[in-house]
Amino acid sequence: MKLFKSLAKVAFVLSVLVLVPACNTMHGAGKDVERGGEKMQDAAK
């Protein structure tokens, strides 16, 4: 049981370490898409 808890903690930490950079990447991609949309709106005007 103690081994299972230790493995669960390690798995949780690893998943957080993997997901945090992915969130930053998606946030940056969202900003890029938003800027592209703004440029298209300006060009349409």
Side-chain angles (χ1 to χ4, degrees):
M1 192 68 169
K2 192 173 184 179
L3 177 64
F4 179 74
K5 286 184 179 183
S6 295
L7 288 175
K9 287 178 185 178
V10 169
F12 176 75
V13 170
L14 288 176
S15 64
V16 168
L17 291 175
V18 168
L19 293 176
V20 168
C23 291
N24 289 335
T25 301
M26 291 303 292
H27 183 72
K31 285 185 176 182
D32 291 341
V33 170
E34 183 180 6
R35 282 192 210 119
E38 290 171 356
K39 299 282 185 190
M40 290 174 79
Q41 285 180 341
D42 291 342
K45 292 178 183 177

